Amino acid sequence: MPRTRVYEAVTERLEILDIEGRVDGPLMPELSADQVRGLYRDMVMMRAFDDKALKMQRQGRMGTWPPIRGQEAVQAGVALAMGDQDWLIPAFREHGVMVLRGCPLHLIFAYWAGDERGSAFPEGVRCFPVAVPVGSQWQHGAGVGLSLKLQGEDAAAVVFGGDGSTSEGDFHEALNCAGVFQARTVFVIQNNQWAISVPLHRQTASATLAQKAHAYGIPGVQVDGNDVFAVYSAAREALDRIRAGDGPTLLEAVTYRLGDHTTADDASRYRDPDELREWELRDPILRLRRYLESSGLWDSARGEVLEEEARAWVDAQVEKFEAMPPQEPGELFAYMYAEPTPIIREQEAALLEEVQG
Amino acid sequence: MPRTRVYEAVTERLEILDIEGRVDGPLMPELSADQVRGLYRDMVMMRAFDDKALKMQRQGRMGTWPPIRGQEAVQAGVALAMGDQDWLIPAFREHGVMVLRGCPLHLIFAYWAGDERGSAFPEGVRCFPVAVPVGSQWQHGAGVGLSLKLQGEDAAAVVFGGDGSTSEGDFHEALNCAGVFQARTVFVIQNNQWAISVPLHRQTASATLAQKAHAYGIPGVQVDGNDVFAVYSAAREALDRIRAGDGPTLLEAVTYRLGDHTTADDASRYRDPDELREWELRDPILRLRRYLESSGLWDSARGEVLEEEARAWVDAQVEKFEAMPPQEPGELFAYMYAEPTPIIREQEAALLEEVQG
Amino acid sequence: MKSDPAGSGSPDRRGLHAVPEAATEKLTIARAIRDAMRDEMARDERVIVLGEDVGIDGGVFRATEDLIEQFGPDRVIDTPLAESAIVGMSVGLAATGLRPVCEIQFMGFVYPAINQLFGHAARLRNRTRGGLSVPMVVRMPYGGGIHPPEHHSESYESLFLNTPGIKVVVPSNPYDAKGLLISAIRDDDPVLFMEPKRIYRAFRSEVPVEPYTVPLGSAAIAREGDDVTLIGWGAMARLCLDAAEVLAHEGVSAEVVDLRTLNPLDRETLLASVVKTGRAVVVHEAPRTNGFGAEVSALINEHAMLQLLAPVERVAGFDVVFPLAKQEHLYLPSRERVIRSVKKALAF
Amino acid sequence: MKSDPAGSGSPDRRGLHAVPEAATEKLTIARAIRDAMRDEMARDERVIVLGEDVGIDGGVFRATEDLIEQFGPDRVIDTPLAESAIVGMSVGLAATGLRPVCEIQFMGFVYPAINQLFGHAARLRNRTRGGLSVPMVVRMPYGGGIHPPEHHSESYESLFLNTPGIKVVVPSNPYDAKGLLISAIRDDDPVLFMEPKRIYRAFRSEVPVEPYTVPLGSAAIAREGDDVTLIGWGAMARLCLDAAEVLAHEGVSAEVVDLRTLNPLDRETLLASVVKTGRAVVVHEAPRTNGFGAEVSALINEHAMLQLLAPVERVAGFDVVFPLAKQEHLYLPSRERVIRSVKKALAF
Ligand SMILES: Cc1ncc(C[n+]2csc(CCOP(=O)(O)OP(=O)(O)O)c2C)c(N)n1
Ligand SMILES: Cc1ncc(C[n+]2csc(CCOP(=O)(O)OP(=O)(O)O)c2C)c(N)n1
Ligand SMILES: [Mg+2]
Ligand SMILES: [Mg+2]
C-alpha cells in the first residue's frame, strides 16, 4: 500500500528507413512498388512547388510563404495513410499534405499571395483552411473527430500542428476532450524543432512530445519524421485504431525545418549552421531516393521524367494562379454572413460607389 | 533501433495513514506530538468555520459559499509543509489553507459575503486573493515561482486548483512554462473528484492527474488527500526539491467534496448517495482522530477543550466580520488605478452626489 | 405597433406574423429558453447541446433541464471544464454538419473562448468564401442583480460588437426568448445569445406552445410614447419599462425600444422612434465608456442630429470592475438614474 | 501648443516639459521603442522583457534587438508559445516585485491572453483593495498596411476600452513612442501599448538621447486648424496629418488631435478642439461599429452638441474581417476617405 505505482508510462519511437536508405525488414509496411514510387513522387513535387514559391516571393509574385522543405516525408506519409472521407485540419505549414488531399496548388499559391479564394477548395475536398492562430486548430480537430463519431461516419479527422503549438492551451484542451469523448481524431505534431527562433528545449521540458499523450489517457507515438515509411505506418496504425473504434492518437513526427520560418524570417540570426548541415544529410527525399535505387525501383530515366513532370505541373499551377482575375470589391462583404446584414449592404454600396468613382 | 523506448516513467501514490488510523511506520514523517495535534486542531477548526458559514448562508448572513468539508487534510498538510516566505495562490476552495497562512477568517467571511475588503490581507501575508475563473490561477503560480527564482528568493509558490481546473488550457501552459523555467512552484490539485456535476472520468481520460506531469518533464505524485501525513510528506518533499533548486512538482491529492459544490448547488441531483456515504467513512478528521487516540496523544478532555476553542474562535471571527462597517461608496472607484483617471473622478463625484442626495 | 406596458413581450407585429392563433402557456424566460432548445432538437437532429453541467444537472440555471433525459448523452453533452474547447470543438462540429448550441456557464467565463469565437467562428465562412460555415449558438447568462461571486455579473456585449461575424441577441421576456433562440438555432451563422439571468424567473408570460420565430435584427417598441425614447436590451429593457411607467404618472410619455438584437441592429425602428420623440436615453449594465450605448449615441447623432432636442443620454455602469454583492446596487443602472437622465434631456 | 505639420512628434508642451534642452538623435518608432526598454532596464533592475522571440531574434520586428546581449536571458526571456502564459505569468511576476514588459507578437494573437488581461491584470488592484498591483506593460504591434497573412493586421483597441483597469496607449511617432513607453513602464498599473507596425520604420525623427516621459492621458495637437478637427491615434494620426496637408491646399484648415492615450482619455484637449472648429472627423482602422470612434462621437455630442456645425463623421474600417493582402487597400481608411468626410461635414 504505502508507495504504490499508479501509472507506468512508456513512449515508443518508430524508425524504419535509415539515412542510408536501408529499411528494417519486419517493420516495413506493405507497399507496392508504385506506392513507394508514388511517395517519392509526392515528395519531389512538394520540394518543387516549395522552391518555386520561394522564388516567386523573391520576385514579388508571392506573399509571405512558410517553406515546407525538409518536412515532406511527414506530409506524404500521413496523406497516403488517410482515407477518402477523412478530414484534414492543417495549421499553416501543411501545403504538401493539403495538395495531396485535393487542394489545388494554384489556390494554395493564391492564398499565400493574399487572396481569400485560395481557401475556397473544390466541392468534396474535406479540408479546413489554414489556421494562423497557433494551436487553435487542435480544437477543430477534436471537434471534427467528435462530429464524425456522433454522426456515425466511418472517417477520421487528421489535425496537424507544430512543436511550438503544443505549448498553447488549445493543444491541451483538444487532446483532453478527444480522450474523454474518444473522438475519431489523429493529432499529428510536425516537430521541426523550432518555433521561429525558439528551440524545442525552450518550448517544453518534456523529453518527447509524444509522451504528452500520457496526460490524456490516449496512445502517443514518436516517429522519425524524415522516414516516410515510419510516418506512414504510425499514421496507418492510428487510423486503423479509429476505424476499430479505439479512439484518438497523438503522433509526433520528429523532423526539421530546413528553411527559414517564413520568407519574413532570417534563421541565420538564431540557428547554428552546423545543425542545419546535420539535418540536410537526413533529407527525407534523399533517403527515400537511396532506398528506391538500392532496391531497383528507380533509375535516372525515371528521375528525369519526374523532374520534368514536376516542373511542368508547378509551372501550370503558377500560370493558373497568376491568371486568376482579381476579386471583386464586393467580395469583401459577400461572405460575412449567409444573408448580408443592413450595415453590410450599406457599407458595400458605399465602397462600390467609391471604386466605381 | 526500429521500435525503441524513448520515454519510460512511473507515477507513484503515497499513503501513510489508513482509514483505521494506522500509519505506515517507515514512511511516517518526523512530526512532534504537538505538530500532529496541531494538524488535528487545524482540521477541526476548518470544519467548524465551514459549518458555521453554511449555517450563516442559510440564515441570509453569508453569500454563496463553497464548502471545504472533506478536504481539510489537503489544506492542513500543505500549510504545515510551507515556509514563512512561501506564497500561496489559491483557487476558491482553499479557505482552510488561507487561514493557516494568515488570512484572517473574518475577512474570508467578508469576501464570500460580497465585500471586496475580504481580499485585503494584512501586510506580510503572502497570499493571492481567490481566483474565480477556473484554472487561471495556475498561471500566477508559475509566474510567482519564476519571480522568486529571478529575484533569488529562497521561497516557493504553492498554487492550488481543482480536478476540473486541469482541463483548462491555463493548467497546461502554466505547468509547461514552469517546467521550462524551472519555476519555484508546487502545483497542488485538490482532486475532490467532482467539478460541480461532472465526475472526474468525464473530465479527463487519464488514469490519474499526477501523471499529467509527464507532459511537462516535471515530477508528479499522487497522495491520498484524506491522509494528512501523506499530504504533508509529499508537499514537504516538493518544497525541499525547490529549495534544492530542482524545480517544480505536480501534487495530486485525491480527496472528496463531501458538501455541495456551493450553497447554490444541490449535489443530490447528480451524485449517488452511496458514494457520499463511502467517502464519509474516509473522513480525514475521523482518521487522524483515530490515530491520535490509538497513539495516546488524545483524550476526550482535549477534545472538549478543542471543540470549545473552535466555537469561541469562530464566533469571535463572525462577530468581527459582522461588525465591519459597510464600505464607502467611493471604494467602488478608489482602487481601479494607482491614480484615479479623470473619468473615474467624474463618475465617483456623480455617485457621491447621488447617494448624499 | 401595439404598446406593451407590462413588457410581457406579447407578440409584436413580427412576432404575431409568425404565430397567428397559437395556443399559449405562461412561462419564465428560463423555461422558454429550455423549450426553444427542446423544440429545435426534436425538429432537427443536427441540433446538439453542449457545455459544462448541461446534462444531468440541467445547467446551473436549469436552462437545459430534462434535455438529456429526452435526447440522451450524445445530443446533450457535458464537456470538460474548458471554454475554448466548448467553442473550438463546436466550430469543428458546426463546420461538419451539426448545429451545436453551446452554453458558457456565465458570460464572465467567455474570455477563454474569445480566440475561437473571434478567430474562427466569426471568420470561417468569410475565410473559405462560403465553403465552410459555423451554424452555432453560444448561450450565456449575463448581467447583474443576483449577488453572486466575482465574474458572475458582467455584461460583455460591447466586446462582441466591434468584431464582425457574430450576431448578438438579447431577449428581455419569455416570448422573445423562445422566438429569438429558435431563430438563432436556425441561423446559419454563429449567434451569441445573452440571457438576462436576473429575470430568468422574475415573471411568467404567455408563450405559444408551438415553435415560432422572432426574426433576428428586429427591435420591438415595447411601449409607445412621444416625449423621449428609452433604449435598452435584456434586463435593461425591463428597467426602461419600469421607468416609463413612473414617468407616465409624472406626465412624461416615454417610448421604449427593446433592441432585442444588437447585431444585426434594427436602426430603422430605433431612429424612427428618436426622430419622433427628439430625445433618447440609452441604458446598459456594461461600463459606460465604449459600451454599446456609445454606438447607439453615435448612430443617432449621425442620422438624426437635426431632430435631436437634447444630447443622447447614456445610463450605464461605471467604468469600474463590477462590484461584489454588497455594492452591486451602487453600480447598476436604476430606475431613478433613468428618470433623472430623462429629466435632464427634457430640461436641456 | 506648437503646430507640427510633419507630425514628427517634436515635443509638445508636456513633452518639452520633460526634456528642457536634450541632445537628440533621429530614430524610427521601432528603435525608439527598443531604446525606451533599454533605458528603463538600465535604470530599474525590476524591469524585465518577455515574449515570443524577444531574445536572440530580437523580436520579429526587432523591437527588442540587442536587449538580450545587454541584459542577459534572465531579464530578456523567450517564452514558450503561449499568450495566456505570457500575460498570466506576468501577473504573478508583477504582483511580486518585478515590472514585466511583455510582447504579444501581433495584436491578432492577443485573444488567448484576454482572460488573464481582463480577468486578473485589470482587476487585481481593485480585488485586493490595493494590496497587490500589476505594474505590467503589454506591447503589441497592431494595424494594417504591411500585407501580411491573416490575423496580422487587426486593430483591437475597442476591445480593451469597455473593460476598466487597463490603460491603452498608441504612439504615432518616435518621440511619443519612447516617452509614452517609458511612462507606461513606470506606471503602476497594466498598460496596453499598441505599436503601429506600418510606420515602425516609415520615417525617422528627433528623439532625445536621454530618458524622458510623455505623460499618459495627454493628447497632442499635432497640427492646428480652425475649420474641422481630425481625430486619430497611431498610424491614423499620421493619415490625418496627410489629409490636413492636402486640405490646406484646398483652403480648408484642419486641426489634428493625436489622442496618444485612449484610456485615460484627454477629453479636454479633444473637446476644446471640436468646440473651436465645430466639426469633427474621427479616424480608426478597426471596424466602424462600436469602434472607439463611437465613444469619441458620443462624447463630443454629449459635451459639445450645441457647438457642432455638422454630425461627427467616422472614417473607419468596414464591418468585415480584415482582408488578406490583395484587398487590404479597399478596407483601410484612406486620405481620400478622410477628405471626403471633411467635405461632407463642411457641406452639412
Ligand atoms: C497564437 C499565435 N501566436 C503567435 C503567432 C506567431 N507565430 C506564427 S508561427 C509561430 C511559430 C510556430 O511554431 P510551430 O508551432 O513549431 O510551427 P512551425 O512554424 O515550426 O511549423 C509563431 C510564434 C501565431 N501565428 N499565433
Ligand atoms: C473559467 C470558468 N468556467 C466556469 C466556471 C464555473 N465554475 C465554478 S467552479 C466550477 C467547477 C470547478 O471544479 P474543480 O476545478 O474540480 O474545483 P472544485 O469546485 O471541485 O473545488 C465551475 C464550472 C468558472 N468559475 N470559471
Ligand atoms: Mg516548429
Ligand atoms: Mg473538483
Side-chain angles (χ1 to χ4, degrees):
Chain A
M1 153 210 161
R3 256 191 196 281
T4 52
R5 294 188 160 194
V6 283
Y7 186 71
E8 304 204 359
V10 174
T11 303
E12 288 192 329
R13 173 184 172 96
L14 178 65
E15 300 173 52
I16 297 174
L17 177 67
D18 71 14
I19 299 180
E20 276 62 49
R22 287 180 307 247
V23 302
D24 183 301
L27 289 174
M28 180 64 184
E30 281 185 15
L31 291 170
S32 70
D34 281 347
Q35 282 179 305
V36 177
R37 279 190 293 253
L39 284 169
Y40 182 70
R41 181 175 181 286
D42 295 340
M43 290 160 69
V44 168
M45 292 285 192
M46 290 182 204
R47 184 69 56 97
F49 79 68
D50 193 47
D51 290 343
K52 182 67 174 191
L54 291 171
K55 193 172 293 122
M56 286 196 288
Q57 196 278 336
R58 283 190 296 273
Q59 299 165 336
R61 298 156 64 193
M62 174 56 62
T64 307
W65 176 268
I68 60 173
R69 188 185 195 83
Q71 305 183 210
E72 295 89 350
V74 187
Q75 304 196 29
V78 171
L80 181 62
M82 288 174 71
D84 289 354
Q85 293 308 301
D86 294 344
W87 274 92
L88 173 66
I89 297 97
F92 54 87
R93 202 183 297 279
E94 281 75 31
H95 331 308
V97 59
M98 286 171 79
V99 167
L100 293 175
R101 294 299 298 169
C103 305
L105 177 59
H106 78 279
L107 291 186
I108 289 172
F109 284 151
Y111 174 79
W112 291 101
D115 186 329
E116 284 83 358
R117 288 171 303 180
S119 297
F121 306 131
E123 194 61 42
V125 172
R126 288 188 148 189
C127 182
F128 268 51
V130 160
V132 170
V134 167
S136 58
Q137 77 285 356
W138 293 121
Q139 303 274 27
H140 310 154
V144 173
L146 175 57
S147 181
L148 296 170
K149 185 184 182 199
L150 293 175
Q151 296 184 76
E153 275 201 54
D154 179 24
V158 178
V159 55
F160 278 73
D163 46 304
S165 78
T166 65
S167 296
E168 289 280 1
D170 275 352
F171 170 82
H172 173 72
E173 296 187 11
L175 271 81
N176 188 59
C177 289
V180 168
F181 296 126
Q182 290 295 291
R184 300 175 66 92
T185 306
V186 181
F187 297 89
V188 180
I189 301 171
Q190 289 204 74
N191 173 7
N192 62 11
Q193 305 182 61
W194 289 88
I196 305 186
S197 71
V198 180
L200 185 59
H201 70 274
R202 300 279 306 167
Q203 199 64 245
T204 185
S206 69
T208 69
L209 298 176
Q211 79 197 57
K212 292 179 186 284
H214 294 297
Y216 312 112
I218 67 174
V221 59
Q222 183 186 73
V223 301
D224 176 346
N226 289 9
D227 166 353
V228 72
F229 297 139
V231 171
Y232 168 76
S233 299
R236 186 61 197 270
E237 202 175 302
L239 286 162
D240 289 345
R241 200 176 291 118
I242 284 172
R243 306 206 195 287
D246 297 339
T249 299
L250 175 61
L251 197 171
E252 175 194 9
V254 181
T255 178
Y256 191 82
R257 196 193 78 211
L258 288 175
D260 292 329
H261 170 65
T262 67
T263 49
D265 175 53
D266 171 9
S268 70
R269 288 176 62 89
Y270 52 79
R271 238 171 28 174
D272 175 355
D274 297 346
E275 180 182 286
L276 189 60
R277 266 189 297 279
E278 249 300 298
W279 278 93
E280 268 163 352
L281 302 178
R282 307 196 191 144
D283 187 315
I285 297 182
L286 207 67
R287 198 185 292 195
L288 183 57
R289 173 68 172 260
R290 291 195 177 119
Y291 169 80
L292 284 170
E293 286 167 345
S294 62
S295 47
L297 296 172
W298 202 255
D299 56 44
S300 56
R302 285 181 186 276
E304 281 150 27
V305 175
L306 177 54
E307 291 302 329
E308 182 44 43
E309 208 185 334
R311 196 176 310 106
W313 173 64
V314 171
D315 290 348
Q317 292 293 312
V318 169
E319 215 167 281
K320 208 163 166 196
F321 147 57
E322 294 189 325
M324 287 171 73
Q327 290 194 89
E328 293 299 324
E331 296 188 57
L332 200 56
F333 304 90
Y335 308 101
M336 282 307 300
Y337 305 94
E339 284 298 321
T341 58
I343 189 97
I344 289 283
R345 281 215 192 75
E346 176 185 302
Q347 293 183 356
E348 176 176 14
L351 175 64
L352 295 186
E353 190 190 325
E354 177 183 325
V355 293
Q356 282 142 23
Chain B
M1 151 206 160
R3 257 189 196 283
T4 52
R5 294 190 159 195
V6 284
Y7 184 69
E8 235 179 314
V10 302
T11 302
E12 287 190 331
R13 173 184 172 95
L14 179 65
E15 300 173 53
I16 297 176
L17 177 67
D18 70 14
I19 299 181
E20 275 63 48
R22 288 180 307 246
V23 301
D24 182 300
L27 289 173
M28 181 64 185
E30 281 184 16
L31 292 170
S32 70
D34 281 347
Q35 281 178 306
V36 178
R37 279 191 292 255
L39 284 169
Y40 182 70
R41 182 176 179 285
D42 294 339
M43 291 160 69
V44 168
M45 292 285 192
M46 290 181 204
R47 185 70 55 98
F49 78 67
D50 193 47
D51 290 344
K52 182 68 175 190
L54 292 171
K55 192 173 293 124
M56 286 196 288
Q57 195 279 336
R58 283 190 295 273
Q59 299 165 335
R61 298 157 64 193
M62 172 58 60
T64 306
W65 176 267
I68 60 173
R69 188 184 195 85
Q71 305 183 211
E72 295 89 350
V74 187
Q75 304 196 30
V78 170
L80 180 62
M82 287 175 72
D84 290 353
Q85 293 307 300
D86 295 345
W87 273 92
L88 173 65
I89 297 95
F92 54 87
R93 203 184 297 280
E94 281 75 31
H95 330 309
V97 60
M98 286 171 79
V99 167
L100 293 175
R101 294 299 298 170
C103 304
L105 178 59
H106 76 280
L107 290 186
I108 288 174
F109 284 152
Y111 173 79
W112 292 102
D115 186 328
E116 284 84 358
R117 290 171 301 181
S119 297
F121 307 131
E123 193 61 42
V125 172
R126 287 189 149 189
C127 182
F128 268 52
V130 161
V132 170
V134 168
S136 57
Q137 76 285 356
W138 294 121
Q139 303 274 25
H140 310 152
V144 172
L146 175 58
S147 182
L148 296 170
K149 185 184 182 199
L150 293 175
Q151 297 184 76
E153 274 201 55
D154 179 22
V158 178
V159 55
F160 278 73
D163 45 305
S165 79
T166 65
S167 296
E168 290 279 1
D170 274 353
F171 171 82
H172 174 73
E173 295 187 12
L175 271 83
N176 188 57
C177 289
V180 168
F181 296 126
Q182 290 294 290
R184 302 175 66 90
T185 307
V186 181
F187 298 90
V188 180
I189 301 171
Q190 291 204 74
N191 173 7
N192 63 11
Q193 304 183 61
W194 289 88
I196 306 186
S197 71
V198 180
L200 185 59
H201 70 274
R202 299 279 307 167
Q203 199 64 247
T204 185
S206 69
T208 69
L209 297 177
Q211 79 197 55
K212 292 179 187 284
H214 295 298
Y216 312 113
I218 68 174
V221 59
Q222 183 186 72
V223 301
D224 176 345
N226 288 8
D227 166 352
V228 72
F229 296 140
V231 171
Y232 168 76
S233 299
R236 186 59 199 270
E237 203 176 299
L239 287 162
D240 289 345
R241 200 177 291 122
I242 284 172
R243 306 205 195 287
D246 296 340
T249 300
L250 175 62
L251 197 171
E252 174 194 9
V254 181
T255 178
Y256 192 82
R257 195 193 80 210
L258 288 176
D260 292 330
H261 170 65
T262 67
T263 49
D265 175 52
D266 171 10
S268 70
R269 288 177 62 89
Y270 52 77
R271 236 168 35 171
D272 175 356
D274 296 345
E275 179 182 288
L276 188 60
R277 266 189 295 282
E278 248 301 297
W279 279 92
E280 267 163 351
L281 302 177
R282 307 196 192 143
D283 187 316
I285 297 183
L286 207 67
R287 199 185 291 195
L288 183 56
R289 173 68 173 260
R290 290 196 178 118
Y291 168 79
L292 284 169
E293 286 168 343
S294 62
S295 48
L297 296 171
W298 201 255
D299 55 46
S300 56
R302 284 181 186 276
E304 281 148 27
V305 175
L306 177 54
E307 290 304 327
E308 182 42 43
E309 208 186 331
R311 196 175 310 107
W313 173 64
V314 171
D315 291 346
Q317 292 293 312
V318 169
E319 216 167 279
K320 208 163 166 195
F321 147 57
E322 294 189 324
M324 286 171 75
Q327 289 195 89
E328 292 300 323
E331 295 188 57
L332 201 56
F333 304 90
Y335 308 102
M336 282 306 301
Y337 306 94
E339 285 298 320
T341 58
I343 190 96
I344 290 283
R345 281 216 193 75
E346 177 185 302
Q347 294 182 355
E348 176 177 14
L351 175 64
L352 295 185
E353 192 190 326
E354 177 183 323
V355 293
Q356 281 143 23
Chain C
M1 229 173 248
K2 66 181 290 307
S3 159
D4 172 17
S8 68
S10 35
D12 62 32
R13 264 220 312 289
R14 302 186 187 73
L16 270 177
H17 181 63
V19 278
E21 295 302 328
T24 66
E25 57 189 326
K26 273 188 167 300
L27 300 181
T28 61
I29 288 177
R31 185 44 53 110
I33 285 167
R34 198 286 307 267
D35 289 356
M37 286 185 272
R38 183 200 57 199
D39 293 355
E40 284 305 288
M41 290 181 83
R43 191 185 66 82
D44 181 350
E45 64 176 12
R46 299 169 304 167
V47 178
I48 62 172
V49 164
L50 66 158
E52 295 156 12
D53 307 291
V54 298
I56 180 170
D57 195 39
V60 295
F61 287 102
R62 308 288 172 257
T64 56
E65 193 159 28
D66 299 333
L67 292 181
I68 194 166
E69 283 77 1
Q70 190 171 343
F71 300 103
D74 279 356
R75 293 187 66 195
V76 181
I77 303 171
D78 273 324
T79 65
L81 213 175
E83 288 73 17
S84 184
I86 291 169
V87 173
M89 288 198 303
S90 291
V91 168
L93 292 161
T96 56
L98 296 175
R99 299 181 82 88
V101 178
C102 42
E103 173 175 308
I104 298 294
Q105 205 158 69
F106 288 83
M107 193 168 205
F109 307 128
V110 74
Y111 290 148
I114 290 284
N115 193 40
Q116 291 292 342
L117 276 168
F118 290 168
H120 292 295
R123 290 168 174 249
L124 201 56
R125 175 187 296 279
N126 181 72
R127 183 181 293 147
T128 59
R129 306 282 93 171
L132 294 175
S133 59
V134 184
M136 159 174 89
V137 177
V138 187
R139 296 177 39 245
M140 56 191 74
Y142 84 94
I146 67 165
H147 297 82
E150 195 185 353
H151 301 284
H152 289 68
S153 302
E154 284 75 3
S155 303
Y156 292 147
E157 64 273 16
S158 150
L159 204 70
F160 294 86
L161 292 162
N162 186 235
T163 305
I166 299 183
K167 297 178 179 177
V168 178
V169 177
V170 197
S172 69
N173 59 67
Y175 177 86
D176 287 350
K178 184 173 177 182
L180 287 168
L181 183 49
I182 289 177
S183 292
I185 293 171
R186 295 181 186 179
D187 196 90
D188 287 329
D189 291 303
V191 179
L192 193 82
F193 195 83
M194 295 171 57
E195 303 173 359
K197 70 171 90 77
R198 80 196 287 181
I199 53 173
Y200 258 143
R201 294 183 168 68
F203 61 95
R204 297 167 177 277
S205 58
E206 294 299 337
V207 173
V209 175
E210 290 302 307
Y212 61 94
T213 61
V214 173
L216 307 188
S218 80
I221 302 294
R223 177 188 180 112
E224 291 194 335
D226 307 313
D227 304 331
V228 60
T229 299
L230 307 183
I231 302 150
W233 51 90
M236 293 300 99
R238 307 278 313 166
L239 186 70
C240 291
L241 287 166
D242 295 348
E245 193 60 23
V246 175
L247 286 163
H249 297 115
E250 306 183 15
V252 177
S253 165
E255 181 149 297
V256 175
V257 176
D258 178 351
L259 292 181
R260 299 199 296 194
T261 305
L262 305 184
N263 176 33
L265 182 67
D266 180 354
R267 287 181 298 172
E268 287 64 26
T269 303
L270 168 65
L271 294 171
S273 175
V274 176
V275 165
K276 180 178 80 171
T277 65
R279 300 181 188 86
V281 176
V282 56
V283 186
H284 58 70
E285 296 182 42
R288 174 188 183 91
T289 298
N290 219 64
F292 192 62
E295 177 64 29
V296 170
S297 175
L299 281 174
I300 291 170
N301 283 287
E302 285 161 0
H303 294 89
M305 186 187 193
L306 299 182
Q307 289 86 349
L308 275 182
L309 304 171
V312 177
E313 291 286 325
R314 290 187 279 171
V315 178
F318 297 112
D319 288 322
V320 302
V321 172
F322 196 104
L324 296 185
K326 297 207 167 178
Q327 287 198 314
E328 201 177 331
H329 64 285
L330 295 174
Y331 173 92
L332 284 172
S334 63
R335 191 171 60 187
E336 293 60 41
R337 286 179 192 166
V338 174
I339 291 169
R340 198 176 314 117
S341 293
V342 167
K343 291 183 173 165
K344 188 163 162 230
L346 288 165
F348 183 78
Chain D
M1 229 174 250
K2 66 180 288 305
S3 158
D4 174 14
S8 69
S10 38
D12 61 32
R13 268 220 309 285
R14 301 185 186 75
L16 271 175
H17 181 64
V19 279
E21 297 299 330
T24 66
E25 57 190 326
K26 275 189 167 300
L27 299 182
T28 60
I29 287 177
R31 185 44 53 108
I33 285 168
R34 197 287 307 268
D35 289 358
M37 286 185 272
R38 183 199 58 202
D39 294 355
E40 285 304 289
M41 291 181 83
R43 192 184 66 82
D44 181 349
E45 64 175 13
R46 298 170 305 168
V47 178
I48 63 172
V49 164
L50 67 157
E52 295 157 11
D53 308 291
V54 297
I56 181 169
D57 195 39
V60 294
F61 286 102
R62 307 289 172 258
T64 56
E65 193 158 29
D66 299 335
L67 291 181
I68 194 165
E69 284 76 2
Q70 191 171 342
F71 301 102
D74 279 356
R75 292 187 65 196
V76 182
I77 303 171
D78 273 323
T79 64
L81 213 175
E83 288 73 18
S84 183
I86 291 169
V87 173
M89 287 199 304
S90 291
V91 168
L93 292 161
T96 56
L98 296 174
R99 299 180 81 87
V101 179
C102 41
E103 173 175 308
I104 298 294
Q105 205 158 70
F106 288 84
M107 193 168 204
F109 307 128
V110 73
Y111 291 148
I114 290 285
N115 193 40
Q116 290 292 341
L117 276 168
F118 290 167
H120 291 296
R123 291 170 175 247
L124 201 56
R125 176 187 296 278
N126 181 72
R127 183 181 293 147
T128 60
R129 307 282 91 172
L132 294 175
S133 60
V134 184
M136 160 175 90
V137 177
V138 186
R139 295 178 39 246
M140 57 192 73
Y142 84 94
I146 67 165
H147 296 79
E150 195 185 354
H151 301 284
H152 288 69
S153 302
E154 284 76 2
S155 301
Y156 293 146
E157 65 272 16
S158 147
L159 205 68
F160 294 86
L161 293 162
N162 185 235
T163 305
I166 299 183
K167 296 178 178 175
V168 178
V169 178
V170 197
S172 68
N173 60 66
Y175 177 86
D176 287 350
K178 184 173 177 182
L180 286 168
L181 183 49
I182 290 178
S183 292
I185 294 171
R186 295 180 187 178
D187 196 271
D188 288 328
D189 291 302
V191 179
L192 193 82
F193 195 82
M194 295 171 57
E195 303 173 358
K197 70 173 87 80
R198 80 195 286 181
I199 54 172
Y200 258 142
R201 294 183 166 69
F203 62 94
R204 297 167 177 276
S205 59
E206 294 299 335
V207 174
V209 174
E210 290 302 307
Y212 61 95
T213 60
V214 172
L216 307 188
S218 79
I221 302 294
R223 177 189 179 108
E224 291 193 335
D226 307 312
D227 303 331
V228 60
T229 300
L230 306 184
I231 302 150
W233 50 91
M236 292 300 98
R238 307 278 313 165
L239 185 70
C240 290
L241 287 165
D242 296 347
E245 194 59 23
V246 175
L247 286 162
H249 295 118
E250 305 182 16
V252 177
S253 166
E255 181 149 297
V256 175
V257 176
D258 178 352
L259 291 181
R260 299 201 294 195
T261 305
L262 305 184
N263 174 33
L265 182 68
D266 180 354
R267 287 181 297 173
E268 287 65 28
T269 302
L270 167 65
L271 294 171
S273 175
V274 177
V275 165
K276 180 178 79 170
T277 64
R279 300 181 187 85
V281 176
V282 56
V283 186
H284 58 70
E285 297 182 41
R288 175 190 183 88
T289 298
N290 219 60
F292 193 62
E295 177 64 28
V296 170
S297 174
L299 281 173
I300 292 171
N301 283 288
E302 285 160 359
H303 294 88
M305 187 187 194
L306 299 181
Q307 290 86 351
L308 276 182
L309 304 171
V312 177
E313 291 285 326
R314 289 188 279 172
V315 178
F318 296 113
D319 289 321
V320 302
V321 171
F322 196 104
L324 296 184
K326 298 207 167 176
Q327 288 198 314
E328 200 177 331
H329 63 286
L330 295 174
Y331 174 92
L332 283 172
S334 63
R335 192 172 58 187
E336 293 60 40
R337 286 180 193 167
V338 175
I339 291 169
R340 198 176 313 117
S341 294
V342 167
K343 293 186 172 163
K344 188 164 162 228
L346 287 165
F348 183 78

